[in-house]
Amino acid sequence: MNAKIQFPVVRERFYRRDRRSVPAARGFARTALADWGLAQAERSGDVSLCVSELATNALVHGVPPGRGFPLRLGFDGGVLRAEVHDSGAGEPRVDEEPDDGGRGLMLVSALSDKWGVGERNPGKVVWCEWVVA
């Protein structure tokens, strides 16, 4: 019997403030995409890269020592959404002329259909979305 995916579906995982969290988050995203039948989708690589960038930004800018961050992935059958919640202050922005770093949100902006920042107490939620055809 073929199981039919019931939408919406959400996956969430918590990551510690550790450099190994970025590849773990990327792997988590790839597994979710595979489970949702999207692993071979044209933009699945974009999703993995954006999850890496959001996780990296959370670790570098938004997660104080001793804390971590949740990554939430949601799919409603038409839109795939990635969210990283962190407890850091400040509003992320795309740096128009990045130096040695600062390209993460530029990539997220270029590779996703939409992205933004939401409020969280404490901190913020940085998210991006893709329309899945």
Side-chain angles (χ1 to χ4, degrees), residues 28-62:
F28 175 70
R30 282 194 303 262
T31 298
L33 290 174
D35 290 348
W36 297 334
L38 301 174
Q40 302 304 318
E42 180 179 333
R43 298 177 72 192
S44 64
D46 295 349
V47 173
S48 294
L49 180 56
C50 288
V51 165
S52 289
E53 294 299 336
L54 294 182
T56 299
N57 283 349
L59 289 176
V60 172
H61 304 292

Side-chain angles (χ1 to χ4, degrees), residues 18-101:
D18 184 298
R19 64 181 175 81
R20 294 173 291 192
S21 293
V22 173
R26 190 172 47 248
F28 175 70
R30 282 194 303 262
T31 298
L33 290 174
D35 290 348
W36 297 334
L38 301 174
Q40 302 304 318
E42 180 179 333
R43 298 177 72 192
S44 64
D46 295 349
V47 173
S48 294
L49 180 56
C50 288
V51 165
S52 289
E53 294 299 336
L54 294 182
T56 299
N57 283 349
L59 289 176
V60 172
H61 304 292
V63 178
R67 293 212 130 150
F69 67 93
L71 165 63
R72 180 177 297 152
L73 301 171
F75 180 48
D76 68 3
V79 175
L80 176 67
R81 181 178 175 105
E83 299 177 356
V84 171
H85 300 230
D86 70 48
S87 53
E91 173 106 5
R93 62 180 168 70
V94 174
D95 191 349
E96 297 300 327
E97 295 185 29
D99 50 14
D100 288 337

